[in-house]
Amino acid sequence: MSNEPWQMGEIAGPKKALIITKPSVVVGMVKKAKRALMVVGHEISKYDLGEESAIDYMIRIAETFKIPIVATAHTVSEFVKRSCYPIWWMSALDIANRLQDPEWEGLDGKGQYDLALFIGIPYYMEWTILSGLKHSAPNLKTISLDRYYQPHATWSFPNIKIDEWFTHMKEILGQIVEK
Amino acid sequence: MSNEPWQMGEIAGPKKALIITKPSVVVGMVKKAKRALMVVGHEISKYDLGEESAIDYMIRIAETFKIPIVATAHTVSEFVKRSCYPIWWMSALDIANRLQDPEWEGLDGKGQYDLALFIGIPYYMEWTILSGLKHSAPNLKTISLDRYYQPHATWSFPNIKIDEWFTHMKEILGQIVEK
Amino acid sequence: MTSRKSIHFKLDKLKSNLAEIDGLEVSIGKIMGEEWEEPFGPTPCPSLATLREWDLKLLKRYKPFYLPYCDVCCLCTMGKCDLTAGKRGACGLDICTQQSRIVLLACCIGAATHIGHARHLVEHLIEKYGRDSPIDIGKSVGVDIQAPVTRLVYGEKPETLGDLEEVLDYVENQVTQLLASTATGQEGDKIDFESKVFHAGMIDQVGMEVADMAQISAYGFPKADPEAPLVEIGMGVIDTKKPVILVIGHNVPPSVEIIDYMGEAGLSDSVEVAGICCTSIDATRYNPRAKIVGPISWQLRFIRSGIADVIVVDEQCIRTDVLIEAKRTMTPVIATAEKNCLGLTNRTRDPADEIVADLVEGRALGALIFDPEKVGEVAVRTAMLLAPKRMKFKVIPEAKEIVEGAGKCAQCRFTPCMRACPNNLPIREAMEQAAQGDLEGLSNLYEACIGCGRCESACTNELPIHSYIIGASEKRIREERFKIRAGRGAIQDVEIRRVGGPIVLGEIPGVIALVGCANYPKGGNEVAEIAGEFAKRRYIVTTSGCSAMSIGMYRDEDGRNLYEVYPGGFDAGGIVNVGSCVSNPHIAGAAIKIASIFAKRKLRGNYEEIADYIHNRVGAVGIAWGAITQKAASIASGFWRLGVPVIVGPHGSKYRRMLLGRKDRKEDWYVYDARTGDKVFVGPCPEHLFYAAETKEEAMVMAAKLCMRPNDTPKGRMIKLAHYIDLHKRFYKVMPDDLHLLVRTEADLPITMKDEVMKILAKKGWKGNVIPDPTLLPRLVHVKEGKRDEQ
Amino acid sequence: MTSRKSIHFKLDKLKSNLAEIDGLEVSIGKIMGEEWEEPFGPTPCPSLATLREWDLKLLKRYKPFYLPYCDVCCLCTMGKCDLTAGKRGACGLDICTQQSRIVLLACCIGAATHIGHARHLVEHLIEKYGRDSPIDIGKSVGVDIQAPVTRLVYGEKPETLGDLEEVLDYVENQVTQLLASTATGQEGDKIDFESKVFHAGMIDQVGMEVADMAQISAYGFPKADPEAPLVEIGMGVIDTKKPVILVIGHNVPPSVEIIDYMGEAGLSDSVEVAGICCTSIDATRYNPRAKIVGPISWQLRFIRSGIADVIVVDEQCIRTDVLIEAKRTMTPVIATAEKNCLGLTNRTRDPADEIVADLVEGRALGALIFDPEKVGEVAVRTAMLLAPKRMKFKVIPEAKEIVEGAGKCAQCRFTPCMRACPNNLPIREAMEQAAQGDLEGLSNLYEACIGCGRCESACTNELPIHSYIIGASEKRIREERFKIRAGRGAIQDVEIRRVGGPIVLGEIPGVIALVGCANYPKGGNEVAEIAGEFAKRRYIVTTSGCSAMSIGMYRDEDGRNLYEVYPGGFDAGGIVNVGSCVSNPHIAGAAIKIASIFAKRKLRGNYEEIADYIHNRVGAVGIAWGAITQKAASIASGFWRLGVPVIVGPHGSKYRRMLLGRKDRKEDWYVYDARTGDKVFVGPCPEHLFYAAETKEEAMVMAAKLCMRPNDTPKGRMIKLAHYIDLHKRFYKVMPDDLHLLVRTEADLPITMKDEVMKILAKKGWKGNVIPDPTLLPRLVHVKEGKRDEQ
Ligand code: SF4
Ligand code: SF4
Ligand code: SF4
Ligand code: SF4
Ligand code: SF4
Ligand code: SF4
Ligand code: SF4
Ligand code: SF4
């Protein structure tokens, strides 16, 4: 069940996300990408484990990878509170819509992206958005950083517990720093 | 891919067949069953590997398990040619329809079955029939003996080659005899 | 183009002067029955639940067996809902109800398609011929009962094109109501959904009847003519030296205008008009010089062959990628229907010259033209000018290219090509062989290939697999030169009079209707074989649409074409092509007319009684061996409500549920004896109402069996049993196991088999049964005091 | 019950005498415009492609972004077809076209549902009140433009119930044609599908308008009354000491007859009538003593509470398992609609006594009764007799039972319960807590629980999870005692005159329409918060259906009910409940009337110009925060064709595609200046046409932005910008990043923010823009020689 879609009816196929079995996959993908970005939705705030907050992780990962963050909905407010790392904001659908336009010039005017990491959009909405990208953005790879299996991503974690998830994030950070 | 539905669009889920990784699973299931039967469709004749013919295997398996065979469509003619093992015949839909009726008295008047092994019905048709049984016959377990993954069965082989398939059948036979 | 023509018409009349208002009155008055003496039956213009009790009777005997085609429902934003095995969706729905809902949805789409088509046709023909243009589908050959379905259901008999409009108002209303029932939170019961499915089918039959009556009458198609001309069919019959216009679809006005324009311009000999799907059938009904390429599955192969210089599409069954495919051969596409605009620019108001120039110069891939006359002109002129430039540019590769291409096949382990193929064809193996220079493997795929192109989409190496198959079958395709009898339309009353008795008594063993599309599991020849088998056995074989084509595209063991061997009359041993999809009601209509003409049952608004009659007495069976569409689904359901069983091919199992009788449940097979009121066991006759057969052999054996009816006389039953036993023994190599359920008296037994069968019967403890005057309707029992079994 | 009443009626008239025929003529004549001087506009009774060019203009700017909800298509027997990323189905279809096809299918279902409902209502009301019964939805308060949508689309103004029938003929015809377009092998272009989606939405608006006009007129609902009474809503308002009849659905006649029977029998004080979904709204419009339980999601909880002694369902939005649930509390169910028969026996012709006895004695779980009057009698009498027996038998467990039950929770690793929950609610955790005696976790789920019951279906241990949530929230539920303003119906012409200018000039910052169902991501309070926020900011807030209920079922920080705080007039700061789902066209109608009354644009059959007007000038935005059904989809699409943007909640992403503008593409945001013919950049106003917001905060910020229109005066834009910036800063904690696109001149700038914003604009290199007289239609440019930009 750990690699079945998290929400029960959201069956997908024939083309389904590869499972991220170890965090190094994520690191490898980002390093391989020419231009990557990270999309963070408002449910990121559900990823809090006591003193650890996922937003901080996302900021550190983005900083280390040197990739931009797009905060969707009102999530930007959380980032504004926390950091001066430059954050873009846009609705989830707007960023997705742009990601599938081969002519989009990117947040910085330097062109389209080839990798997008998603986290924190409500499961079913992220599901439909990733589906849109799977079908309409053939040159884009997508990674779901959420702790639920997202079948329409190119790569996704399986369904995992929150502490596992934090461990993975730590490992990702460790590995970026390492390399 | 070996455990994806054989025909490309025939996605299924959330509840999918368990994969038969070793033939002993089949033997175990049949032995555990109170009343089992085997349904053989006309594509059984596609399972010929030189001198080996799948029909003979089916007859031997059924004989050894002491379970009845229901030949669908005109398949009975093939059995009639070959053996005197008593064969029932009925259309694929008729036998399936009866299998989901808790009040059906069985071929022999002794009551409903709790296990049905399927083979040789065209993939997509077997797919829909197994789906019908999955949904409407809660007390029936189904096994697809075909060499294609049938997601709506309770148990199914993955997609395998024909020689692998023959090996499996031999093993099944060997194991029944053994035990 | 607006749909308000009819309203505008009325408006003008009303505005202009009083005399014309009177005219309008009369026409309304007429259809309202002033000239029809027959009183209304109990159910004219039935609404959703009017015939529900009849449906429940059928559905109690023929229970739905659901074959869920998906485990979830995805129809509203609370979904997707997992409905697996007992789970309920967020609206409370379970999996079986969801399947029945989807069946209803499909049948609504199917019915709407025919009705929408009928409306368009009627509006167009009224505009062209006037609303008083008479309905005449064979009066001169004695077709007195025109519109049997409309009479039966709607309760009126239309006499003019204008009369048809109100009939359409009614069916549009019913389709809307039915469709509404599929909304989230509407109908909650699966059996009620099934009843609505029947209603959709019945409504659909009215819509189709309207369409075909309108076009037969206005365009002068063959009128109930058993000797409708033989016309040419097959890719090999197209004269490729001429400019070729390919018409695809179902709504014939553009094709008619093409033919007319050619005539007026003196180009009838200079341009070929060839068609795919029903539009081509109807074009040949209009003018037997038009040609038929083949059924729906011939689209890709013919377009890619480059033979067509212009493609004109109207509506239904048209490949949605026709523009993309046509572009590859530089063939412009003219779209003509609001229902299928294909993203093209609307050129309806542009001068023909400009459009022709744009198409010929390649400035536009196609044009959208809603005016059929303009389509006629533009298509013909474009074809004439373009043909010399295109030089039949094709994208079907030559043998050499195929071998080369096949060499690039990666022989993928999990064969995406084969797994994408609806018929699971062994493409990889054929490729391997082809790579070695031998195209036979590819060519062997031709017969069972439904031309869908899915293999190409799936191929890892983007090989044009379907084109390879076609290229490898070049010789065979050149030999596709066949004949088909043009659609004859209705059945004559006199034919009904002749065969009514023999059919009802069982002496003509049955009416086999081969209808529907070309999603055949193993090729179209199977349909022709079925047709030949039953015609030879002197059943009445009727056919329409793509199935009628497949019967034509075949040669029997002796190399003969079945339409040449078997006559076109509605009689034992005939093969009767009624026409296109919308001609199907002539088949149902024949059954209805048997009840009316032969048995003198009242027709008007008397659905239940007539259906009961047909179900118990008319040994008709539909076979839709390659049924594909929602239209095929609703056509089938029209038969169900009349109690006529339908067999589909194995792909038909995807229609999500079957309606299966259970011959092992004796209690299911009782009818009332109308003479006595007694309940009488009549055996499983007919055993199923809807049913997917796995093989053609199974279909034939079952069809023979499903022709039996409770009303069969001993002689009739004897004949039917003889065929059933014979086919069973031939294909199954054993005697049937259910003879004890089908034999009522010893007199039922085929003489040559008597001893053999009697032994079997004895073993089963068979005891004879009464042959009743069968009905499922207690109200039809001739009331005798203290005797009537009210239920 | 048959649908032929109207035909029968005509028939009788025609048959009986000539005078009556004349009567019929006049009524046809009238609707045909003899008494209406306004000449026809260009597009009365548009058919599928009539308004295609307008649609293409919108769709070029607001391109569909497809969110495929399934990778395959399963609609015909050639499927399933894998359509993943570029693959094509067996009919040639690609994934995007398939999504647009499903959207059209959904909108056809939605439109058919309203139209079918309208037809049923009109037939019933004609039968009861006569076809000459006048349409009057507020004449006494000066509603001169009745039926603005019908005038605009159909091109006529209905004056009597009878006039509505022809309007329905037209919309039924169009629905049929649209549905036909979804058949396999029909429309092949996704943008053409989208255009047809718009058509479906427009047709649907006509159908809804007909329905609401009919019921307002015939039943005397509040007529454009800003002071429609406040009525009671909430589970806590039901007097459980009385027998309670629960009505569920949308089609009010049975509820009306229940109320009337109670009145006649002197039982008005003895029985409670309480409803769920729109039928309850309409019941309170009929009689303000009726009560509303809550929106669609209140069904399970209320049925299980056992409070209802009889349940009467009509059509739409009814749980399909209502019989099963009602059986558990021993509550009989009366089904009343052909569209939803629930498998019950048809008792329409049985004496009321018998039916009542069967229901009271428990011999039948329910009854199917198509005659509303009989329903009224049976429901009331059954409730009276049954209430003392049932003793409000409930299946909601007490605290103790819940704790016990929760103890049986297996704390499943992959939490089937949570994974089945549409809102992903943390059920396992709540169970764990409950097992320890603390029900707070369960009670915390109440607000966001949409009452779907899927968790229960999925639970490994078959725990009645939803009932536990309800049981744990007992106190809260008892406190569900709120008010809602009864649906007022149309907007008065005088109100339009008052606000037309301020809206068009931008001084009333916008019209926010909160409509649709209750599939809220985090509960209904969000809708109320949105309503309160915008009312406070003096937008005009309009609402209907379940959203109107959610607004009522809320207390603000000060414990106040919003309907008590904000007036019901169509004016700045009003919260305007127009009524049930079919009342939605009053909202569109208000926009249309602004164009007509304020701007004097011609209405009759002049769709394109009016839509262009609304799109460029009327700052209206729809928010369907919990949109569920196909009806909600078609309601949204009716707004799209008028150029009015619609925001849905996150679950709305399952509607398969969005229509998104791209503010980064400058070229997309030009309009014609009607004064000069110049093309003028006007910025992304409005930025999107259809769009799912992730959170209510996002929705509010976006709604404020989407209210901007090219026509805004500087003062108007200033006000709108001020709200946008304020909300943006409040929720996002930063300034918007697109002010340079929204500010045309310095005069647009809110004074208090001027410096701050000017700095931002300077950084972006902002240069001012002209404020045009905006239109997308070149033909509306005032022609000046050599100046007009023809395109
Ligand atoms: S219609 Fe019912 S079963 Fe289907 S998705 Fe909606 S809630 Fe689920
Ligand atoms: S085109 Fe023919 S071979 Fe290819 S997938 Fe379709 S049926 Fe199979
Ligand atoms: S998918 Fe293409 S490359 Fe692979 S085996 Fe099939 S034909 Fe060959
Ligand atoms: S019903 Fe069809 S479209 Fe919906 S999820 Fe299932 S396969 Fe996909
Ligand atoms: S409609 Fe087209 S895409 Fe859908 S199943 Fe049929 S062939 Fe495939
Ligand atoms: S009933 Fe409530 S808790 Fe249960 S699945 Fe539905 S929304 Fe979730
Ligand atoms: S599925 Fe049922 S048993 Fe399992 S965790 Fe959820 S509530 Fe507990
Ligand atoms: S708002 Fe939606 S859920 Fe509520 S009654 Fe209307 S359609 Fe049904």
Side-chain angles (χ1 to χ4, degrees), chain C residues 292-332:
Chain C
I292 303 176
V293 172
I296 183 169
S297 37
W298 260 248
Q299 287 184 73
L300 274 190
R301 64 192 67 165
F302 191 70
I303 297 174
R304 291 182 182 178
S305 77
I307 293 170
D309 297 298
V310 172
I311 298 174
V312 176
V313 299
D314 52 79
E315 56 171 276
Q316 303 165 48
C317 300
I318 298 154
R319 284 194 67 91
T320 53
D321 57 356
V322 60
L323 265 184
I324 300 170
E325 288 290 339
K327 187 181 170 192
R328 299 173 59 201
T329 56
M330 301 186 295
T331 314

Side-chain angles (χ1 to χ4, degrees), chain C residues 27-269:
Chain C
S27 94
I28 293 179
K30 192 152 56 181
I31 186 166
M32 286 307 152
E34 293 194 326
E35 295 185 4
W36 192 7
E37 280 172 18
E38 186 172 323
F40 277 106
T43 60
C45 294
S47 66
L48 264 54
T50 310
L51 296 166
R52 181 174 181 256
E53 251 104 283
W54 168 248
D55 300 335
L56 298 186
K57 276 192 216 304
L58 289 176
L59 290 161
K60 205 176 146 199
R61 185 185 272 183
Y62 305 104
K63 292 210 174 65
F65 173 39
Y66 292 99
L67 306 164
Y69 200 36
C70 179
D71 291 345
V72 309
C73 171
C74 60
L75 288 180
C76 84
T77 74
M78 294 194 292
K80 298 181 183 174
C81 294
D82 171 14
L83 305 178
T84 313
K87 289 186 191 171
R88 287 180 179 274
C91 62
L93 204 70
D94 68 12
I95 188 84
C96 293
T97 314
Q98 166 64 359
Q99 302 310 303
S100 59
R101 179 159 76 133
I102 297 281
V103 177
L104 177 56
L105 196 52
C107 289
C108 283
I109 295 176
T113 305
H114 290 132
I115 292 164
H117 170 183
R119 174 67 81 171
H120 179 271
L121 208 45
V122 167
E123 274 178 5
H124 173 72
L125 295 173
I126 284 180
E127 198 177 40
K128 196 160 167 159
Y129 298 97
R131 62 188 323 105
D132 295 333
S133 180
I135 301 295
D136 174 4
I137 64 167
K139 286 187 172 173
S140 69
V141 292
V143 177
D144 285 337
I145 302 192
Q146 304 194 116
V149 177
T150 304
R151 289 181 182 204
L152 180 65
V153 176
Y154 186 66
E156 304 292 349
K157 45 177 190 177
E159 302 285 0
T160 65
L161 288 181
D163 289 348
L164 299 174
E165 290 193 314
E166 287 208 21
V167 183
L168 290 174
D169 283 347
Y170 161 68
V171 289
E172 285 165 354
N173 169 266
Q174 291 304 300
V175 164
T176 305
Q177 298 285 348
L178 286 166
L179 183 61
S181 306
T182 68
T184 297
Q186 292 268 43
E187 186 55 77
D189 184 75
K190 62 186 186 216
I191 299 298
D192 268 308
F193 267 124
E194 300 295 349
S195 162
K196 290 174 167 75
V197 166
F198 286 12
H199 193 66
M202 182 191 73
I203 290 301
D204 184 28
Q205 268 186 354
V206 176
M208 289 189 289
E209 187 177 77
V210 165
D212 211 35
M213 286 194 302
Q215 63 182 359
I216 292 171
S217 303
Y219 285 143
F221 288 179
K223 298 190 173 185
D225 181 2
E227 284 168 17
L230 290 168
V231 297
E232 289 188 285
I233 180 170
M235 274 177 71
V237 304
I238 318 297
D239 184 348
T240 56
K241 287 188 221 72
K242 296 181 188 168
V244 174
I245 299 172
L246 171 66
V247 293
I248 314 178
H250 283 68
N251 207 341
V252 79
S255 306
V256 164
E257 298 294 344
I258 289 168
I259 291 168
D260 284 356
Y261 183 85
M262 282 163 48
E264 285 154 25
L267 294 171
S268 299
D269 289 329

Side-chain angles (χ1 to χ4, degrees), chain C residues 454 630, chain D residues 73-81 83 89-91 93 98 101 184:
Chain C
R454 261 184 3 203
Q630 300 82 23
Chain D
C73 172
C74 59
L75 288 179
C76 84
T77 74
M78 293 195 292
K80 297 179 184 177
C81 294
L83 305 178
C91 62
L93 204 70
Q98 166 64 0
R101 178 158 76 132
T184 297

Side-chain angles (χ1 to χ4, degrees), chain C residues 1 4 25 44 47 52 69 75 77-78 80 172-173 187 192 196 338 341 343-344 454 627 630 654, chain D residues 1 4 25 44 47 52 69 75 77-80 172-173 187 192 196 338 341 343-344 454 627 630:
Chain C
M1 191 156 141
R4 57 193 297 274
E25 274 162 44
S47 66
R52 181 174 181 256
Y69 200 36
L75 288 180
T77 74
M78 294 194 292
K80 298 181 183 174
E172 285 165 354
N173 169 266
E187 186 55 77
D192 268 308
K196 290 174 167 75
E338 288 192 293
C341 297
L344 291 166
R454 261 184 3 203
Q630 300 82 23
K654 300 172 193 167
Chain D
M1 191 154 142
R4 56 193 297 273
E25 273 163 44
S47 66
R52 181 174 183 256
Y69 201 36
L75 288 179
T77 74
M78 293 195 292
K80 297 179 184 177
E172 285 165 355
N173 168 265
E187 186 55 77
D192 268 308
K196 290 175 166 74
E338 288 193 294
C341 297
L344 291 166
R454 260 180 10 199
Q630 299 82 24

Side-chain angles (χ1 to χ4, degrees), chain C residues 409-412 415-417 427-428 431 458-461 463 465:
Chain C
C409 165
Q411 293 288 311
C412 313
T415 59
C417 47
I427 296 165
R428 184 181 62 186
M431 284 294 192
C459 173
T460 335
N461 287 343
L463 296 174
I465 300 169

